[in-house]
Amino acid sequence: MRTLVTAKQMKAIDAYTINTIGVPSMVLMERAAMWVARAVEETAGKADVIWAVCGTGNNGADGVAAARMLHLKGYKTSLFVVGDPDRGTAEFLAQSAIARNLGMQMRPWQEAAGEDCVVLIDAVFGVGLSRPIEGEYRQCMEMLEARHAAHTVAVDIPSGIHGDTGQVMGMALKADVTVTFGWEKMGTALYPGRAYAGTVRVCDIGFPESALDAVRDQEEGYGYGLTYESSDLCLIPDRPAYSNKGTFGKVLIAAGSKNMCGAAYLSALAAYRTGAGLVKLLTVEENRQILQERLPEAIIATYTSDQLIQGREEFKKMIEEQMNWADVVVLGPGLGSEPYVEYLVEDILTSAFVPVIIDADGLNAIAGHPYLTTYFTENIIITPHLGEMARLIGESIDAVKENLTGAALEYAGRYGITCVLKDAATVVAGKDGTLYVNSSGNSAMAKAGSGDVLTGIIAGLAAIGMEEEQAALMGVYLHGRAGEQAAGKIGQHSLLASDLADCIGAAMKSVAHE
Ligand SMILES: NC(=O)C1=CN([C@@H]2O[C@H](COP(=O)(O)OP(=O)(O)OC[C@H]3O[C@@H](n4cnc5c(N)ncnc54)[C@H](OP(=O)(O)O)[C@@H]3O)[C@@H](O)[C@H]2O)[C@@H](O)CC1
Ligand SMILES: [K+]
């Protein structure tokens, strides 16, 4: 498990380490610069021209210090400054003085025109970036972008990427390697920042763990983000030898509509593949035969849409019985948008006292009939993609995209539920402010049916004993790992959602015994 911090949190950790613990700012900076210089040395030869392009804040100061270290080792290093050097931070002024005392020239960035650059050290902005990039800064960064250095090392975060949201603040510089300090920044875990960062290296520059704790305690609701890595797969419960199908929980999947049964099938298949003991599909009568043929392991229960509208009381009773049977419920894949879906959602929400994972048309019914949110309990996990989230909160997709973590946290907090907001880097917000940013998966998973598989995985994990929020976090991670396995076998272009489901077992195995 790795911790992710926002820019604000990182600044507070810096300040605590310097002011309360007493580690001098310049000591931290020298270590930071050493890591940056090392990353450059891995690719630069002594004949290659290295540019360090530095702003006048502490990110720039890191860049000046790294350039000085490389200069002392005999590398051809040019130092360029953007912004008014006289208004630099104390550290920038100190690092500039050291560089000059060692005979280095610090020139305005405009003088770079016409000179060569093989390796670029991007030290224009770090976590201090607070507004869109304009004017001289933009001109400088455009010049750097056009330069196409063979290799770019970003200091702490690619300049132009917002440390909290990963958004491009007008423009940003793409890096091959981002050398970051202490903890990974939220902005390089989320897209598009993640795509700009290249390989992210988290380097220890001497922040104590206690700074993380102290900052968390100082401010209420100051939660850190987290992300899983392969060793966390061991959090998935073992399968005891002395067991039967009842040991592993019963999943009920309310899904599918007339002649639309693919989503129901994929969700059920994934729940079984994840380890559920029994999976029952609750769907329309028209789907019975095909689902039975495709997945004979599943129990099929059916209803007709007429039954639902005309015999509401009886239908409610049937739903109650199904809910009593289930240990976990999936509600929504492929349900369609017929008027009866509203009643189905209402009856399930009012009679389920187990975790309910709501997806797709289940969420659309809620967006169309907001009174349904009054039935939300802490057992609810919603799994919207950007469009579904936008409909739920009445915002544009762009607005959700700009602040993915904020949207998920706000919705989860408002209703006391778990919100899985699906994107290239899916985020999960828990009811108590837990924030998870997923690191697994690939673009091959952006295909029809992938979300249905995710619902089945989360349900399967809940069925084998994981608490619902944990099942949501792990489900997202495992889903991505299955995508990696499947792409490895089949290739990114050809991967289908059913391949994802078929690779869940291998993804779980790669885990436990890695
Ligand atoms: N000892 C330490 O503290 C350590 C710090 N470390 C390093 O320091 C970095 C953080 O440094 P930083 O706080 O000085 O901010 P930085 O990112 O350099 O930005 C400079 C200033 O730019 C300004 N600004 C913002 N947006 C702007 C815009 N669009 N256009 C123009 N100006 C804009 C804004 O000032 P403002 O104008 O808002 O007052 C901001 O303060 C961190 O990423 C890491 O690399 C490490 O060495 C470890 C030890
Ligand atoms: K930078």
Side-chain angles (χ1 to χ4, degrees):
M1 203 177 293
R2 299 199 311 271
T3 299
L4 304 171
V5 297
T6 62
K8 185 178 167 206
Q9 288 166 341
M10 197 59 228
K11 287 187 132 202
I13 291 166
D14 265 354
Y16 181 88
T17 305
I18 294 163
N19 302 326
T20 308
I21 307 278
V23 182
S25 178
M26 288 291 271
V27 170
L28 295 172
M29 191 166 278
E30 287 294 301
R31 293 195 187 120
M34 208 132 80
W35 284 115
V36 173
R38 254 183 229 175
V40 172
E41 280 191 89
E42 282 171 23
T43 54
K46 289 271 162 79
D48 295 332
V49 177
I50 301 163
W51 283 8
V53 181
C54 307
T56 59
N58 283 356
N59 193 257
D62 288 345
V64 176
R68 176 244 303 163
M69 289 170 188
L70 291 162
H71 168 77
L72 289 177
K73 287 191 170 183
Y75 287 90
K76 285 190 187 165
T77 315
S78 302
L79 252 176
F80 295 106
V81 183
V82 50
D84 181 357
D86 295 337
R87 297 181 60 192
T89 57
E91 288 86 345
F92 175 83
L93 296 176
Q95 292 293 1
S96 303
I98 296 170
R100 274 194 296 267
N101 291 341
L102 286 165
M104 294 187 80
Q105 257 193 319
M106 292 191 61
R107 294 180 288 159
W109 67 272
Q110 291 86 345
E111 289 186 21
E115 292 190 18
D116 285 340
C117 168
V118 177
V119 179
L120 171 66
I121 300 174
D122 160 22
V124 182
F125 292 114
V127 294
L129 180 72
S130 57
R131 52 188 182 275
I133 290 166
E134 291 163 353
E136 179 196 4
Y137 291 94
R138 194 176 177 115
Q139 287 163 9
C140 169
M141 284 168 58
E142 279 169 356
M143 179 276 286
L144 294 174
E145 193 178 52
R147 205 29 94 129
H148 297 299
H151 196 79
T152 297
V153 176
V155 178
D156 209 17
I157 187 164
S159 296
I161 295 297
H162 195 285
D164 298 351
T165 62
Q167 290 298 301
V168 175
M169 303 291 282
M171 78 163 296
L173 293 174
K174 280 217 158 107
D176 298 290
V177 176
T178 296
V179 178
T180 198
F181 314 123
W183 292 274
E184 188 175 342
K185 311 301 174 288
M186 198 65 87
T188 53
L190 292 164
Y191 286 99
R194 185 155 145 188
Y196 277 76
T199 306
V200 177
R201 283 195 202 162
V202 183
C203 299
D204 178 9
I205 62 166
F207 295 115
E209 249 343 273
S210 61
L212 203 64
D213 299 334
V215 167
R216 185 187 351 239
D217 295 344
Q218 272 166 12
E219 241 180 273
E220 218 176 307
Y222 216 64
Y224 295 112
L226 67 106
T227 189
Y228 282 156
E229 45 204 354
S230 48
S231 57
D232 294 308
L233 284 164
C234 67
L235 296 171
I236 298 174
D238 282 337
R239 226 170 160 81
Y242 186 60
S243 56
N244 58 54
K245 64 185 184 222
T247 316
F248 301 110
K250 303 189 281 286
V251 177
L252 184 125
I253 298 177
S257 50
K258 194 174 170 185
N259 303 325
M260 278 267 301
C261 68
Y265 163 73
L266 288 168
S267 182
L269 177 67
Y272 264 138
R273 289 269 192 238
T274 309
L278 268 175
V279 178
K280 186 191 281 189
L281 279 158
L282 178 64
T283 188
V284 291
E285 177 58 28
E286 291 88 341
N287 290 338
R288 177 186 289 278
Q289 195 184 345
I290 182 156
L291 282 171
Q292 221 143 37
E293 279 166 16
R294 289 208 72 175
L295 195 65
E297 297 87 347
I299 307 167
I300 315 279
T302 60
Y303 56 85
T304 63
S305 44
D306 292 348
Q307 197 184 350
L308 217 159
I309 300 226
Q310 287 156 17
R312 189 79 201 283
E313 281 315 306
E314 223 171 277
F315 185 80
K316 242 184 189 156
K317 228 181 259 157
M318 183 275 278
I319 291 287
E320 267 168 32
E321 278 164 24
Q322 298 293 0
M323 294 303 121
N324 287 338
W325 174 88
D327 296 311
V328 51
V329 175
V330 172
L331 171 58
L335 276 181
S337 53
E338 296 285 319
Y340 72 80
V341 175
E342 174 194 349
Y343 304 132
L344 180 66
V345 172
E346 180 175 23
D347 292 350
I348 289 181
L349 290 183
T350 50
S351 57
F353 296 97
V354 293
V356 182
I357 299 143
I358 316 177
D359 190 38
D361 293 324
L363 294 171
N364 291 335
I366 291 166
H369 307 282
Y371 77 90
L372 291 168
T373 58
T374 59
Y375 304 130
F376 279 179
T377 65
E378 60 174 14
N379 291 329
I380 302 283
I381 299 168
I382 62 165
T383 56
H385 56 51
L386 294 179
E388 287 157 356
M389 189 71 193
R391 283 196 282 279
L392 279 175
I393 62 176
E395 291 273 4
S396 68
I397 291 179
D398 283 344
V400 176
K401 228 178 185 168
E402 268 167 34
N403 190 7
L404 218 57
T405 56
L409 278 169
E410 200 283 322
Y411 200 83
R414 188 187 330 159
Y415 294 107
I417 62 169
T418 303
C419 175
V420 176
L421 181 48
K422 294 180 293 197
D423 195 22
T426 292
V427 305
V428 185
K431 40 192 172 269
D432 56 0
T434 306
L435 180 61
Y436 171 87
V437 180
N438 194 42
S439 58
S440 63
N442 51 50
S443 61
M445 299 169 71
K447 257 195 196 162
S450 176
D452 306 318
V453 171
L454 176 63
T455 60
I457 293 178
I458 297 173
L461 291 174
I464 61 173
M466 292 187 87
E467 184 270 328
E468 62 257 4
E469 192 171 301
Q470 290 306 313
L473 308 186
M474 184 55 73
V476 168
Y477 181 67
L478 181 59
H479 183 243
R481 291 289 299 227
E484 290 164 11
Q485 292 271 346
K489 276 192 192 166
I490 298 156
Q492 295 229 2
H493 291 295
S494 303
L495 189 154
L496 299 182
S498 54
D499 301 322
L500 268 183
D502 290 341
C503 284
I504 295 168
M508 287 168 109
K509 224 158 104 191
S510 75
V511 175
H513 305 292
E514 226 165 51

